[in-house]
Amino acid sequence: MEKSQVLTPRESCKLINSKGSLVKSNETGIHKVSEMIFKGITEHGFSRKIWLKSDLNPKTPNQEAIDWIFLVDTLNFSFWPDEGNSKFGVKDHNGKLQTGYWSLCAAVNRALKVGIPVTSAEFMANATLEQIKTIFRSDTNGEIPLIEERLKAMNNAGRVLLEKYFGSFAMCVMRAEKDVHKLLSIIIDNFESYRDICQYKENTVSFLKRAQILIADIWTCFDAKDLGEFHNIDELTMFADYRIPQALVALNALEYSEKLKQILKSKEPISSGSETECEIRGLSIYVCDLIQERVKEMSKENGSSVEVNAVLVDYFLWEWARDNRSTIEELPFHRSRCIYY
């Protein structure tokens, strides 16, 4: 497929907003969320330094950190359990049980602590199913979903790094020359599991959740310096997953049709790549773009200068969703099992 035929995530969300019927934006909610984020930045110090908040993230900005981020984002998808099953969970170095994305981080750190070079390209390329079952063993009765798909993504990524990038994703970053579009192209052209692309009506749309968050995580880990410096970081969109749409609905920035609400309440699976899923993800990107623009307007009106982009809007909403789990779960998230988020 020619790249020119694939709409970018931002082009995709505008198209979906113009043609969709199940999801729409809500101006009142958008303004409310924008005020929350503006206050979070100006009064509570929210910034890209949020990366340092978690003990599970690498703290030293070096090649090892990039390799850690690359592995984690290669496997950063689909942690929710099937109905009736227990959540996958892993205890971290402090003995705290982590679930969701953080369970993945805890499992990777646990492996590294006992000398398993899980972030090395050679290990990734040659890992077996038995090895990753051991690495991603759960400390609960639940299991990590899509284990074979994770192995395939890991093996493919490791082989590509060895064959083309001297065994480290840091080389991909260097070849991108501080340009997010160049780095996105390198990722999508070379690493199969990152091709978050599908059909919506007569168009080929993309969301690129994991490819974009991979770049954003490097940007935040390096505090926008050295290998984390990108002159056009603001051109990334939010990372369309299942938690941010749920948060946007809870905050009334997104509105679902009654038909869609009933599907979600019944916990009926929604096919990956379906028009329904595309509308949920596309409108989430669209609304987050409106929010970041509104925050910029507030900053200008206030005579202040704040750093805000879709990355930070996403990070803020993800943190808010984690801290307000009972609120967001009044309406279940959309259940689309896939490797893209």
Side-chain angles (χ1 to χ4, degrees):
M1 182 182 296
E2 294 292 328
K3 282 187 180 179
S4 59
Q5 297 176 325
V6 181
L7 297 180
T8 67
R10 188 156 278 123
E11 291 168 340
S12 298
C13 79
K14 290 176 180 177
L15 171 87
I16 293 168
N17 178 63
S18 70
K19 295 193 172 188
S21 60
L22 296 173
V23 187
K24 65 180 182 179
S25 59
N26 180 298
E27 273 297 316
T28 302
I30 287 168
H31 185 75
K32 172 187 172 183
V33 176
S34 303
E35 287 185 326
M36 285 171 54
I37 293 176
F38 182 70
K39 184 177 289 188
I41 295 170
T42 57
E43 298 181 15
H44 303 293
F46 182 83
S47 73
R48 63 173 179 258
K49 295 183 186 295
I50 189 70
W51 177 268
L52 300 174
K53 184 178 177 181
S54 173
D55 290 340
L56 297 171
N57 289 333
K59 297 297 185 291
T60 304
N62 55 21
Q63 180 179 315
E64 288 73 22
I66 287 180
D67 292 339
W68 186 96
I69 292 167
F70 178 66
L71 171 66
V72 166
D73 282 329
T74 297
L75 303 177
N76 181 8
F77 55 84
S78 202
F79 299 104
W80 50 274
D82 288 327
E83 192 68 13
N85 292 349
S86 299
K87 283 185 179 180
F88 169 69
V90 176
K91 291 180 180 178
D92 64 19
H93 56 290
N94 292 318
K96 180 181 178 182
L97 184 69
Q98 301 288 347
T99 58
Y101 166 77
W102 294 118
S103 62
L104 173 66
C105 300
V108 169
N109 291 343
R110 178 178 63 187
L112 291 170
K113 187 175 181 179
V114 297
I116 301 173
V118 65
T119 59
S120 77
E122 185 172 356
F123 185 91
M124 290 170 65
N126 297 292
T128 66
L129 185 59
E130 288 306 311
Q131 284 177 313
I132 71 161
K133 281 183 176 179
T134 299
I135 290 167
F136 298 112
R137 66 190 183 278
S138 183
D139 290 320
T140 69
N141 292 326
E143 296 181 354
I144 192 168
L146 302 180
I147 190 71
E148 292 184 0
E149 289 81 355
R150 292 178 201 278
L151 176 63
K152 181 180 178 182
M154 189 173 174
N155 287 162
N156 170 260
R159 284 194 295 268
V160 171
L161 290 179
L162 291 173
E163 291 168 6
K164 302 177 74 170
Y165 297 105
F166 300 95
S168 178
F169 189 72
M171 182 58 66
C172 300
V173 178
M174 286 185 271
R175 289 188 183 177
E177 300 175 312
K178 306 183 188 302
D179 186 325
V180 299
H181 295 300
K182 285 185 180 180
L183 189 48
L184 280 173
S185 290
I186 289 171
I187 297 166
I188 302 309
D189 290 348
N190 291 281
F191 302 99
E192 183 180 344
S193 75
Y194 282 88
R195 294 172 193 155
D196 186 3
I197 297 168
C198 63
Q199 288 297 123
Y200 177 74
K201 300 189 185 296
E202 70 276 15
N203 298 96
T204 304
V205 297
S206 67
F207 301 101
L208 308 184
K209 185 265 184 180
R210 291 197 290 110
Q212 293 195 95
I213 203 170
L214 169 57
I215 297 171
D217 285 347
I218 293 170
W219 176 67
T220 49
C221 177
F222 281 72
D223 196 22
K225 300 169 186 172
D226 302 319
L227 290 177
E229 181 185 353
F230 298 98
H231 63 76
N232 52 355
I233 192 70
D234 289 358
E235 294 182 30
L236 295 182
T237 69
M238 63 78 74
F239 320 122
D241 63 357
Y242 46 88
R243 282 301 181 202
I244 303 301
Q246 193 181 28
L248 290 170
V249 170
L251 290 164
N252 297 314
L254 268 188
E255 289 184 6
Y256 288 167
S257 69
E258 285 304 316
K259 177 182 176 182
L260 180 52
K261 285 180 183 177
Q262 290 307 311
I263 292 172
L264 298 179
K265 287 176 181 177
S266 71
K267 299 189 177 179
E268 177 184 333
I270 296 173
S271 298
S272 175
S274 65
E275 289 190 6
T276 300
E277 187 210 30
C278 284
E279 291 191 25
I280 293 171
R281 300 182 78 197
L283 266 291
S284 297
I285 294 173
Y286 183 79
V287 163
C288 284
D289 271 359
L290 294 177
I291 290 168
Q292 65 153 324
E293 290 304 320
R294 192 66 51 81
V295 174
K296 289 175 183 176
E297 291 171 7
M298 290 176 179
S299 174
K300 188 175 180 180
E301 292 167 2
N302 198 52
S304 60
S305 177
V306 302
E307 178 181 57
V308 64
N309 52 33
V311 174
L312 294 177
V313 170
D314 185 288
Y315 283 174
F316 183 95
L317 289 169
W318 198 84
E319 291 284 322
W320 183 88
R322 188 186 64 176
D323 294 340
N324 294 272
R325 188 58 55 88
S326 61
T327 300
I328 69 168
E329 289 184 348
E330 289 179 12
L331 183 67
F333 59 82
H334 67 282
R335 302 171 75 84
S336 298
R337 182 74 77 191
C338 65
I339 67 169
Y340 301 116
Y341 61 98

